[in-house]
């Protein structure tokens, strides 16, 4: 491998949430952080070099989005996902969550219903309720270790006047890469019921070999006209802290209304370093990304084998994308709060508790394996020790 993903980099004292906020978030410090969704790898060397040059320039005034930046995004989406988009379809936000919040606020009224598919990235529900809207849940089906969408339940619940569906494509935390067939079924139901779709595709570039991401809006023109597609280099190239995202809105009327809201909130200004990093990453990051995926897929293979051989009580739900792995810990027989405390205080590994993703996540944990293999080995070894002790007791 050309890039060294084995290198352990000390992230302490870099104002980094994953490592520096442990005490605040979990009340402990000496645990291995396998929680918040960023990686312990450096970004591609070309990105670091471009950022270094930009930093050395020394002036960090207001930034703009040059044509070359827009073109890099258009080319990336075409090259990686075979979706031809126009530069003018793009709107820009610091992050995907601010965009989701703006869409819900601009296109629905307080009290309106917004659908999500749990277990799903927990801030979706938090944003919906904090904006005074109602969450309607279309739980995923979990059969034979695999998650699928429950279309019958979806259709039944849409009758109740749902305005927006927030789709997680690929899905965090269950790791599914939704197939074209699944997206087609979903989209047809939404079109029939005049539901706007927010397709959060922040994890779309980190898809394992053998799977293919389909942008929801690329399935048909009708889907494109009724949807917002959220993309970012944040997960792909570990750039989340540079706060640079793109919302693809082919429908002109929807786009204008979205942009009006962004302008009224004054959150559309780009991050100068984010622009530099995003453009170079999208232009030249393919090879690094392929190797990062290979490495993470190696981590996953190790994890699956280790759990099968040493901790059979915990089942790995095989992800098709992302470095976030959904672990079925129900066989340990611990209640949700006991499981969290057990992982933290006995295994000394900080993961995300499954129940925060929805009540159907109770008994699960989400583990972030975007880290050097040695760290992953250490953490699973600690989990094994703790589980062995628990099962003996
Ligand atoms: C599905 C999903 N959407 C959005 C986000 C956060 O995006 P942002 O930091 O751009 O708001 C995350 C971060 O983990 C995520 O997993």
């Amino acid at each position: 491998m050309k890039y060294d993903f084995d290198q352990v980099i000390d992230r302490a004292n870099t104002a980094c949430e994953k490592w520096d906020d442990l005490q605040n978030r979990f009340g402990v410090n000496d645990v291995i952080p396998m929680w918040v969704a960023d990686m312990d790898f450096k970004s591609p060397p070309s990105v670091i070099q471009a950022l270094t040059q930009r930093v050395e320039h020394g002036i960090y005034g207001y930034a703009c989005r040059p044509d070359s930046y827009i073109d890099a995004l258009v080319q990336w989406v075409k090259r990686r996902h075979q979706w031809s988009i126009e530069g003018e379809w793009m709107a820009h936000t610091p992050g995907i969550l601010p965009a989701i919040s703006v869409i819900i606020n601009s296109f629905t009224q307080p009290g309106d219903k917004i659908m999500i598919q749990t277990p799903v990235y927990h801030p979706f529900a938090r944003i919906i309720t904090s904006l005074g809207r109602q969450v309607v849940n279309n739980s995923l089906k979990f059969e034979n270790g695999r998650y699928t969408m429950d279309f019958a339940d979806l259709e039944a619940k849409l009758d109740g006047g749902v305005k927006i569906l927030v789709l997680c494509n690929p899905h965090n935390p269950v790791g599914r890469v939704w197939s074209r067939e699944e997206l087609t079924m979903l989209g047809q139901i939404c079109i029939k019921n005049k539901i706007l779709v927010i397709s959060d595709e922040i994890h779309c570039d980190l898809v394992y070999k053998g799977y293919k991401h389909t942008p929801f809006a690329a399935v048909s023109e009708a889907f494109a006209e009724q949807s917002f597609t959220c993309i970012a280099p944040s997960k792909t190239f570990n750039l989340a802290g540079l706060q640079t995202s793109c919302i693809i809105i082919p429908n002109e009327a929807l786009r204008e209304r979205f942009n009006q809201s962004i302008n009224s909130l004054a959150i559309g200004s780009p991050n100068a370093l984010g622009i530099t990093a995003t453009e170079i990453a999208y232009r030249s990051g393919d090879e690094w990304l392929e190797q990062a995926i290979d490495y993470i897929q190696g981590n996953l293979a190790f994890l699956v084998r280790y759990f099968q051989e040493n901790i059979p009580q915990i089942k790995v739900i095989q992800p098709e994308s992302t470095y976030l792995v959904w672990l079925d810990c129900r066989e340990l027989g611990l209640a949700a709060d006991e499981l969290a405390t057990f992982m933290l205080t006995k295994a000394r590994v900080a993961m995300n508790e499954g129940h925060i993703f929805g009540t159907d996540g109770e008994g699960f944990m989400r583990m972030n394996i975007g880290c050097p293999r040695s760290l992953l080995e250490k953490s699973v070894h600690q989990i094994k020790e703790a589980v062995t002790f628990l099962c003996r007791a």
Side-chain angles (χ1 to χ4, degrees):
M1 247 185 212
K2 182 166 158 191
Y3 305 101
D4 182 8
F5 297 101
D6 279 328
Q7 190 191 0
V8 176
I9 299 162
D10 183 4
R11 295 182 67 186
N13 304 315
T14 60
C16 123
E17 189 179 5
K18 194 183 199 174
W19 291 79
D20 287 335
D21 213 30
L22 279 171
Q23 184 70 40
N24 192 23
R25 170 70 174 74
F26 294 95
V28 285
N29 252 330
D30 55 340
V31 292
I32 305 179
M34 315 287 280
W35 63 296
V36 67
D38 71 19
M39 303 189 278
D40 293 321
F41 307 135
K42 282 190 186 184
S43 290
S46 61
V47 173
I48 297 170
Q49 198 186 353
L51 281 174
T52 305
Q53 264 177 19
R54 182 66 188 84
V55 167
E56 278 173 358
H57 182 260
I59 300 178
Y60 315 115
Y62 291 115
C64 67
R65 297 180 185 88
D67 289 348
S68 58
Y69 171 82
I70 302 295
D71 179 64
L73 268 74
V74 169
Q75 298 306 331
W76 175 264
V77 173
K78 189 169 187 176
R79 193 164 73 246
R80 305 293 306 190
H81 304 299
Q82 293 70 53
W83 184 26
S84 295
I85 57 169
E86 306 285 334
E88 64 180 30
W89 293 355
M90 290 178 201
H92 305 275
T93 55
I96 303 296
L97 289 179
I100 293 175
S101 177
V102 165
I103 296 165
I104 292 173
N105 208 22
S106 314
F107 293 89
T108 66
Q109 299 297 321
D112 278 349
K113 294 176 178 165
I114 317 286
M115 182 173 270
I116 58 172
Q117 297 175 302
T118 65
V120 75
Y121 184 52
H122 49 290
F124 291 174
R126 191 188 65 219
I127 289 175
I128 295 166
T129 48
S130 69
L131 289 172
R133 275 65 169 172
Q134 293 181 57
V135 174
V136 175
N137 187 21
N138 168 228
S139 281
L140 298 177
K141 282 200 282 195
F142 184 48
E143 287 162 348
N144 304 322
R146 190 176 166 100
Y147 284 88
T148 53
M149 289 191 198
D150 186 342
F151 293 111
D153 177 74
L154 174 73
E155 271 203 285
K157 286 181 175 157
L158 288 184
D159 271 354
V162 170
K163 294 281 171 22
I164 292 182
L165 169 93
V166 187
L167 167 68
C168 201
N169 177 35
H171 194 96
N172 168 14
V174 310
R176 276 297 317 279
V177 173
W178 302 116
S179 68
R180 182 170 283 268
E181 292 68 35
E182 287 169 309
L183 293 174
T184 303
M185 293 265 285
L186 182 82
Q188 282 169 347
I189 297 170
C190 290
I191 298 279
K192 195 170 95 193
N193 291 277
K194 299 191 169 50
I195 315 278
L196 291 172
V197 176
I198 302 174
S199 190
D200 178 343
E201 306 194 359
I202 196 168
H203 295 281
C204 70
D205 299 315
L206 285 163
V207 165
Y208 293 137
K209 301 278 167 351
Y211 296 94
K212 174 95 185 86
H213 168 69
T214 305
F216 172 78
V219 174
S220 81
E221 206 169 311
F223 291 12
E225 283 296 310
Q226 211 160 301
S227 63
F228 304 81
T229 302
C230 310
I231 62 165
S234 313
K235 306 295 167 195
T236 318
F237 296 108
N238 216 19
L239 295 172
L242 294 185
Q243 310 238 295
T244 304
S245 304
C246 169
I247 316 303
I248 304 166
I249 317 174
N251 180 314
E252 193 179 341
L254 296 185
R255 189 169 64 245
E256 270 179 17
R257 197 150 142 203
F258 179 84
N259 277 330
Q260 271 166 14
S261 302
I262 295 293
N263 291 339
S264 69
L265 292 166
I267 55 166
S269 244
N271 174 312
L273 297 180
I275 293 294
T276 300
T278 301
E279 178 171 343
I280 189 78
Y282 280 157
R283 280 210 186 286
S284 66
D286 299 66
E287 186 193 34
W288 181 92
L289 177 59
E290 298 303 335
Q291 293 196 11
I293 293 171
D294 275 353
Y295 189 87
I296 296 166
Q297 205 156 356
N299 272 359
L300 178 65
F302 162 77
L303 185 81
V304 169
R305 204 174 45 248
Y306 191 93
F307 274 77
Q308 273 169 358
E309 288 171 5
N310 300 286
I311 325 172
Q313 300 89 336
I314 298 178
K315 309 273 182 296
V316 177
I317 309 305
Q318 190 88 25
E320 300 164 352
S321 71
T322 88
Y323 45 78
L324 304 168
V325 183
W326 194 229
L327 301 176
D328 183 351
C329 307
R330 290 175 299 175
E331 250 183 75
L332 294 179
L334 299 171
D337 53 341
E338 289 171 343
L339 178 61
T341 309
F342 170 78
M343 288 299 178
L344 204 58
T345 61
K346 304 293 183 210
R348 308 212 67 78
V349 177
M351 295 185 270
N352 293 92
E353 303 147 30
H355 66 88
I356 64 173
F357 300 89
T359 50
D360 35 11
E362 275 176 25
F364 290 76
M365 296 295 287
R366 191 191 74 174
M367 183 181 215
N368 179 344
I369 61 165
C371 63
R373 187 94 23 103
S374 57
L375 204 62
L376 181 63
E377 284 167 359
K378 191 160 181 250
S379 70
V380 290
H381 184 67
Q382 289 180 199
I383 296 173
K384 178 189 152 188
E385 299 280 288
V387 170
T388 307
F389 190 76
L390 175 78
C391 293
R392 256 200 234 121

